[in-house]
Amino acid sequence: MATEHFDVLIVGAGLSGIGAARHLQKECPHKSYAILEGRDNLGGTWDLFRYPGIRSDSDMFTLGYNFRPWEGEKAIADGDSIWQYIRNTAAENNILEHIRYNHWITDAEWSSVDTCWTITADTPQGKQKLTCNFLMMCSGYYRYEHGYTPDFPGRENFTGTVIHPQHWPEDFDYTGKRIVVIGSGATSMTLIPSLTEKAEHVTMLQRSPTYVIAMPEKDTLADTLRKYLPRSLAYFLIRLKNVSLATLMYEVSRRQPALVRRLIRAQLRSWLGPDFDLDTHFKPSYNPWDQRLCLVPNGDLFKALRKGTASVVTDHIETFTENGIRLQSGQELDADVIVTATGLDVVTLGDARFTVDGEKMDPAAHYSYKGMMLNDVPNMVQVIGYTNASWTLKADLTSEYTCRLLNYMDNNGYAVCMPHKEEEDENPGPLLDLNAGYVLRALDKLPKQGEKAPWRVYQNYLLDLVKMRFSPVTDDAMKFYRPGDINSVEHKLAS
């Protein structure tokens, strides 16, 4: 059987992959493509995560696609609504017919002689190979098979139920249960208010505090604009407002962290009252946006803490016990259920094995070009969203830029594009510039970023908008080759 060939293969049918397909169809309608999805459904994160209360941690006017206005009632939306938005986008744009489900990518091999990638996927029918001229990796940045759970001492002694939110049991009944949620990230902040609706009590157990801010679930200004203005204009203005505010918050946090700390503390005090121990439970040791800020819609977490249906404990775990957790302070937390909201297991490029002209490619040895390509890796884009704003803002820009790149190559007779970095930087940083635990655990897996453009990742949508939507796709770093110009990447770069 002949190997099936496409102009473009998109890996992943989540928020990024469906968006990439829509951009490709519109801007490069002559290109053949398929989407390879490892699971049996689309949606990515929004299909995988099923824990109670799952919702966005960004507003949907910016987490939504730039080409399809979010029309939901809530700016902070639940997981099912987001999944339906992705599904409707795929259906309305005839993308569903291009998705190959249960195609789990294991290998990607580039051949400069053939100027194409050969992709190997595990499928229910066994291993299958497909080829493409260009590869778009929209597989996210974490392992879908399991989350990260530390090796807690005495875990085997606990007689209750232990759950990681990434694999929440279907129809799990926690009515009247005493629940301890380990962790203080976005997942915990989402879970706890929802769990309190049925549980006897929920305790958030954290080693150290996290920055938390409250935001209205509904955007009243957005509702007003949508009521009186044309759909597309209203969406543009809402996105502009939300992007500007998020960018301002991030930049001020970086430049005036003490000011932002005071503002956050003032909001917490207004929600939690004068007697709550903010210094113990909500005073992080790091600056705002060293880690991602946690968002609680309508202050739901704070309401649960004031009501007494939830509590927060800041301490370290000594051991699991038969009936719960003993802390280093000697305090014991009784529990029927322990939820380990302890983070993600970060992987790069879907954890597939990549080779370039027979040489194994280690992503950590490469620099990221414009946050989307790797130096000396031909015809491959990795779609990575923002860490300080909505993921889709950067994903859309990356897909748009990729389409412009493909059209430029076609118009000029090029078969290969490849960014090349002339020399190493003295102080490179990781692609994901956050001090979050899931990032720090994965530093040996992540590509590097350089000290200046185009190798630096600025995490600034307004700046990226200019550079990626309106600037030329040609620069000193990007190399283009016509068929027959390049026998191998290694040979070409050495010449």
Side-chain angles (χ1 to χ4, degrees):
M1 180 182 296
T3 301
E4 203 169 1
H5 180 80
F6 296 91
D7 293 322
V8 181
L9 280 177
I10 299 170
V11 178
L15 192 63
S16 301
I18 299 301
R22 163 56 171 72
H23 286 292
L24 189 67
Q25 285 186 174
K26 182 177 184 294
E27 302 299 332
C28 308
H30 57 288
K31 295 288 187 186
S32 62
Y33 79 94
I35 303 175
L36 306 182
E37 168 56 49
R39 302 173 68 248
D40 60 5
N41 202 0
L42 58 73
T45 292
W46 304 108
D47 179 67
L48 175 68
F49 284 87
R50 298 287 183 172
Y51 58 80
I54 175 69
R55 55 169 172 75
S56 62
D57 63 349
S58 302
D59 74 276
M60 287 305 302
F61 298 108
T62 55
L63 188 63
Y65 299 116
N66 61 13
F67 56 82
R68 187 174 190 270
W70 170 255
E71 296 182 338
E73 180 183 0
K74 297 177 180 179
I76 306 299
D78 62 90
D80 286 341
S81 297
I82 300 171
W83 181 89
Q84 193 62 55
Y85 173 79
I86 299 170
R87 174 66 170 71
N88 290 345
T89 301
E92 292 172 8
N93 291 279
N94 300 314
I95 294 171
L96 295 175
E97 62 197 61
H98 294 271
I99 304 175
R100 310 287 181 91
Y101 293 109
N102 297 305
H103 279 59
W104 197 272
I105 306 306
T106 60
D107 295 270
E109 304 165 88
W110 168 261
S111 168
S112 292
V113 174
D114 300 320
T115 60
C116 74
W117 288 95
T118 298
I119 306 301
T120 303
D122 283 338
T123 76
Q125 292 74 41
K127 289 189 179 295
Q128 293 190 8
K129 291 184 180 294
L130 304 95
T131 59
C132 65
N133 300 112
F134 203 94
L135 182 61
M136 294 188 71
M137 296 298 296
C138 300
S139 52
Y141 64 96
Y142 66 87
R143 194 182 303 278
Y144 273 42
E145 303 95 293
H146 57 79
Y148 171 76
T149 303
D151 185 16
F152 291 115
R155 176 171 174 168
E156 67 281 0
N157 298 325
F158 180 58
T159 57
T161 304
V162 179
I163 303 173
H164 191 286
Q166 192 164 323
H167 297 284
W168 194 270
E170 187 175 359
D171 299 324
F172 178 68
D173 185 11
Y174 52 90
T175 302
K177 303 290 188 181
R178 297 164 301 173
I179 304 176
V180 174
V181 179
I182 303 174
S184 57
T187 301
S188 295
M189 305 293 179
T190 301
L191 260 171
I192 291 167
S194 182
L195 293 175
T196 59
E197 295 175 5
K198 295 181 181 180
E200 176 184 321
H201 187 81
V202 184
T203 302
M204 181 174 76
L205 173 59
Q206 59 179 9
R207 289 184 302 176
S208 57
T210 301
Y211 285 107
V212 190
I213 58 175
M215 177 178 175
E217 189 176 53
K218 294 184 178 181
D219 187 329
T220 54
L221 177 59
D223 290 343
T224 302
L225 293 175
R226 290 193 292 180
K227 182 177 180 180
Y228 293 106
L229 295 179
R231 179 172 177 259
S232 58
L233 176 59
Y235 193 52
F236 169 78
L237 293 175
I238 296 165
R239 283 169 63 89
L240 178 62
K241 182 260 294 185
N242 290 356
V243 166
S244 299
L245 289 176
T247 302
L248 177 64
M249 177 68 172
Y250 179 76
E251 294 299 329
V252 173
S253 296
R254 288 305 200 191
R255 290 168 170 75
Q256 298 290 335
L259 171 63
V260 175
R261 281 198 299 268
R262 289 197 298 271
L263 293 173
I264 294 175
R265 185 181 180 89
Q267 189 195 60
L268 288 169
R269 183 60 73 196
S270 69
W271 277 103
L272 294 171
D275 299 326
F276 193 91
D277 188 358
L278 294 182
D279 287 342
T280 298
H281 303 307
F282 287 103
K283 186 180 179 181
S285 59
Y286 56 89
N287 285 329
W289 275 118
D290 283 352
Q291 297 184 25
R292 189 177 174 92
L293 267 66
C294 286
L295 175 68
V296 292
N298 297 335
D300 56 6
L301 173 69
F302 307 141
K303 292 176 183 177
L305 292 174
R306 291 198 70 167
K307 188 178 179 181
T309 55
S311 58
V312 56
V313 174
T314 303
D315 205 333
H316 287 71
I317 295 173
E318 180 178 295
T319 185
F320 280 33
T321 65
E322 181 180 353
N323 298 313
I325 297 174
R326 185 166 64 246
L327 305 175
Q328 289 185 0
S329 64
Q331 180 182 359
E332 297 206 10
L333 300 177
D334 292 336
D336 305 301
V337 180
I338 296 175
V339 180
T340 56
T342 45
L344 305 169
D345 186 9
V346 172
V347 296
T348 305
L349 299 173
D351 210 28
R353 294 179 292 270
F354 274 69
T355 59
V356 176
D357 292 322
E359 296 292 326
K360 181 180 178 182
M361 191 271 286
D362 176 11
H366 292 256
Y367 285 85
S368 178
Y369 171 84
K370 297 189 176 182
M372 57 175 281
M373 300 181 76
L374 299 181
N375 69 294
D376 302 338
V377 179
N379 289 21
M380 191 273 285
V381 162
Q382 180 184 19
V383 178
I384 296 288
Y386 289 117
T387 57
N388 69 331
S390 292
W391 177 274
T392 321
L393 290 172
K394 182 62 181 289
D396 274 335
L397 288 179
T398 298
S399 294
E400 290 176 5
Y401 189 93
T402 301
C403 292
R404 291 207 296 132
L405 189 61
L406 290 170
N407 287 332
Y408 176 84
M409 292 168 65
D410 287 348
N411 293 337
N412 292 276
Y414 294 120
V416 177
C417 67
M418 180 178 62
H420 175 59
K421 199 172 193 308
E422 293 294 339
E423 57 187 21
E424 288 276 337
D425 287 343
E426 289 186 7
N427 298 297
L431 175 60
L432 300 178
D433 187 17
L434 283 176
N435 289 330
Y438 67 91
V439 174
L440 298 177
R441 290 191 299 270
L443 291 179
D444 61 338
K445 305 175 185 177
L446 294 173
K448 298 175 284 189
Q449 64 166 302
E451 297 173 326
K452 58 183 179 179
W455 307 103
R456 183 178 173 187
V457 181
Y458 289 95
Q459 296 291 342
N460 186 313
Y461 173 72
L462 297 176
L463 181 62
D464 285 342
L465 182 66
V466 174
K467 291 188 173 185
M468 300 189 71
R469 182 175 291 175
F470 302 111
S471 64
V473 296
T474 56
D475 59 27
D476 292 340
M478 182 63 77
K479 310 301 179 184
F480 295 95
Y481 306 98
R482 293 184 172 87
D485 283 355
I486 180 170
N487 295 321
S488 75
V489 171
E490 181 180 5
H491 172 74
K492 188 68 181 182
L493 294 178
S495 61

